[in-house]
Amino acid sequence: MPAIVLIGAQWGDEGKGKATDLLGSRVDYVVKFNGGNNAGHTVVIGSEKYALHLLPSGILTDGVVPVIANGVVVDIEVLFDELEALTARGVDVSNLLVSANAHIITQYHRTVDRVTERFLGKRQIGTTGRGIGPAYADKINRVGIRIQDIFDENILRQKVEGALEQKNHLLVKVYNRRAIGVEEIVSDLLSYAERLRPMVADTGLVLNKALEAGKTVLFEGGQATMLDVDHGTYPFVTSSNATSGGAATGSGVAPNRIERVIAVVKAYTTRVGAGPFPTELFDDSGEYLRSKGFEFGTTTGRPRRTGWYDAPVARYSARVNGVTDFVLTKLDVLTGLTTIPVCVAYEVDGVRVEEVPVSQSDFHHAVPVYEEFPGWSEDITGARTFEDLPKNARDYVLALEALSGSRISAIGVGPGREAIVVRHDLLG
Ligand code: GDP
Ligand code: IMO
Ligand code: MG
């Protein structure tokens, strides 16, 4: 298999980490192409639980080459902290490659992220506070600092000066904060240079050569379709392209190399942070999903907002990403419910709408139209084939498949690595 993309179909935390880990042993490279340490992927292997933020989940598989590509924003301190924590637990991280073109998150990005959120007041996005938005803003504004810059002290100093000129005015005059000194940033970044040097590579070239040689490359998206800066619920989004197209621009591998697009989708919906969420529940059912699904952010620990499955969102994802396969996760969390509502369309100002409305205000006002499906009470965590699932669970999956615009090739039935039902080979 050539290049495969794995992305989130909803608002994140669908279980992408687990899905990547599932494929890990059959791929040669795992590439993170967007976002930074705003991501939080939990992977459960036996009794061990790993929480990854900046590193791709594939790093947990022996022999895989993990790659942080150009589309990522890298907080170097976090990078080394994560590498050290994994090394201490016996994970081999020596293969990691970091793109020379990836942008760096510095202290001033984190500061600007937090002060802007505070000043937004009620209009807050609820960011992770990791400096993601400000780092991408600098990249687009052409005042970003790239990994390669830390190997040339003069260039680095000039760039940091350029980046801080406007920001210090803003911090001091608007936000009433202290100015950030050029030298403190420069010396902090330079202190990582020698440790970082052996990992830095022209990752676009490495990946293209690997594909030429017939290797399998898995692109692992951070965040998700509805958090994509172009295709998500703007402005309540992250600042990168989390959709499959981002894998090409974020890595330097051309779109026509990509043969498979796997979207991970939860059997219900969750969202962290602010923004529209038509199927959100504010009653006991919402609390049930949160506690049974353990829906608390891996990165910030915030309780996740919860709601029923939204088929128009899944269909939208299928379209935007060119999804070939869905991995449906957390089906086990629904066990015990008498009936399970699924949003099949919306009503906007009294009119039935089948697709995600392009107008943000319409999406804000969209009222879900539900169809109810009968639940099941049998424990499904031991199911390993589709036939092992109770009939009502199979019918629920088949109904979602018919509504969501692509086949459901695998079904998560528990947090562990082995708790999965595979219906179609994801790589074959
Ligand atoms: P990611 O950001 O998409 O990688 O997802 P997160 O790791 O933030 O959140 C998904 C959570 O669901 C993690 O705690 C996983 O261990 C857990 N998980 C993944 N798949 C399943 C599943 O099929 N069933 C259950 N019960 N938990 C799952
Ligand atoms: P994974 O990869 C869920 C959300 C934040 C906020 C918005 C912008 O684990 O699925 P940012 O810090 O990126 O500027 O915040 O995006 N967000 C996520 N929500 N899962 C994630 O990553 C997220 N990464 C960012 O909560 O609403
Ligand atoms: Mg997550």
Side-chain angles (χ1 to χ4, degrees):
M1 281 292 286
I4 300 141
V5 178
L6 187 146
I7 46 94
Q10 297 155 318
W11 279 279
D13 307 319
E14 296 91 349
K16 299 177 291 293
K18 177 181 157 173
T20 304
D21 178 63
L22 172 75
L23 301 175
S25 58
R26 295 170 65 196
V27 306
D28 301 298
Y29 291 78
V30 174
V31 186
K32 181 175 168 99
F33 62 83
N34 77 303
N37 57 315
N38 48 347
H41 307 301
T42 304
V43 182
V44 181
I45 304 174
S47 58
E48 294 281 304
K49 191 167 168 179
Y50 298 87
L52 297 157
H53 299 284
L54 178 54
L55 293 167
S57 312
I59 201 160
L60 299 174
T61 310
D62 276 348
V64 170
V65 181
V67 177
I68 292 181
N70 58 277
V72 175
V73 284
V74 181
D75 186 320
I76 308 180
E77 189 181 341
V78 171
L79 174 69
F80 285 119
D81 283 351
E82 257 183 52
L83 288 174
E84 274 164 26
L86 287 181
T87 307
R89 295 176 72 176
V91 178
D92 177 14
V93 297
S94 60
N95 281 340
L96 177 73
L97 297 178
V98 179
S99 168
N101 286 343
H103 280 249
I104 297 175
I105 300 179
T106 68
Q107 181 211 321
Y108 51 82
H109 296 118
R110 290 189 296 268
T111 304
V112 171
D113 195 356
R114 286 172 197 161
V115 292
T116 354
E117 277 282 279
R118 199 166 312 145
F119 270 70
L120 277 173
K122 275 203 311 220
R123 289 180 298 118
Q124 251 182 26
I125 289 162
T127 72
T128 59
R130 303 294 190 263
I132 306 293
Y136 279 114
D138 275 4
K139 170 177 172 172
I140 300 300
N141 213 12
R142 293 162 298 187
V143 290
I145 314 290
R146 294 191 293 173
I147 293 286
Q148 57 182 285
D149 298 327
I150 70 170
F151 303 115
D152 185 329
E153 189 174 337
N154 287 336
I155 295 272
L156 180 65
R157 187 165 288 108
Q158 278 173 32
K159 293 200 171 179
V160 173
E161 269 168 13
L164 278 176
E165 210 172 279
Q166 277 189 355
K167 262 176 223 83
N168 274 335
H169 283 299
L170 194 73
L171 284 173
V172 174
K173 293 179 188 154
V174 180
Y175 295 129
N176 204 17
R177 290 298 196 99
R178 75 171 180 91
I180 294 172
V182 172
E183 286 315 314
E184 61 180 294
I185 300 293
V186 170
S187 63
D188 180 51
L189 293 180
L190 286 175
S191 71
Y192 298 113
E194 289 320 306
R195 272 174 87 189
L196 200 56
R197 197 187 289 276
M199 303 172 195
V200 177
D202 179 349
T203 51
L205 181 63
V206 171
L207 293 172
N208 276 287
K209 279 191 170 167
L211 287 165
E212 286 297 333
K215 303 282 187 201
T216 302
V217 178
L218 176 65
F219 292 92
E220 179 189 341
Q223 293 73 56
T225 305
M226 301 308 277
L227 289 172
D228 181 285
V229 67
D230 283 278
H231 303 290
T233 49
Y234 190 91
F236 302 102
V237 292
T238 191
S239 300
S240 69
N241 285 119
T243 43
S244 60
T249 51
S251 73
V253 169
N256 59 356
R257 293 270 193 193
I258 298 166
E259 288 212 349
R260 205 82 177 249
V261 179
I262 301 166
V264 186
V265 69
K266 240 177 236 190
Y268 50 97
T269 313
T270 62
R271 168 162 210 172
V272 200
F277 178 0
T279 63
E280 182 167 15
L281 294 163
F282 300 96
D283 58 6
D284 290 350
S285 312
E287 199 43 55
Y288 178 90
L289 293 175
R290 182 157 37 249
S291 56
K292 198 150 179 242
F294 198 68
E295 298 297 353
F296 297 89
T298 311
T299 299
T300 56
R302 290 178 287 178
R304 294 174 183 152
R305 300 160 64 193
T306 52
W308 300 122
Y309 190 84
D310 187 326
V313 162
R315 275 202 298 279
Y316 176 74
S317 279
R319 164 158 56 96
V320 171
N321 294 294
V323 172
T324 58
D325 304 79
F326 278 114
V327 173
L328 181 74
T329 58
K330 298 197 133 178
L331 187 65
D332 53 299
V333 173
L334 301 179
T335 300
L337 293 167
T338 318
T339 55
I340 309 167
V342 170
C343 166
V344 296
Y346 311 113
E347 256 188 28
V348 181
D349 300 329
V351 178
R352 184 179 165 115
V353 175
E354 304 292 330
E355 304 297 334
V356 170
V358 69
S359 148
Q360 191 69 218
S361 352
D362 286 352
F363 197 46
H364 261 289
H365 298 140
V367 179
V369 177
Y370 286 116
E371 233 176 79
E372 304 254 338
F373 292 87
W376 59 91
S377 54
E378 299 89 333
D379 179 4
I380 61 167
T381 53
R384 294 296 174 266
T385 68
F386 195 56
E387 289 64 40
D388 291 343
L389 294 172
K391 181 168 185 310
N392 286 355
R394 290 201 304 267
D395 287 348
Y396 181 74
V397 173
L398 294 175
L400 298 194
E401 185 170 66
L403 288 164
S404 305
S406 193
R407 65 181 188 178
I408 293 175
S409 295
I411 303 155
V413 291
R417 196 180 227 181
E418 68 302 327
I420 192 111
V421 167
V422 179
R423 295 176 72 207
H424 306 285
D425 187 356
L426 290 166
L427 299 183

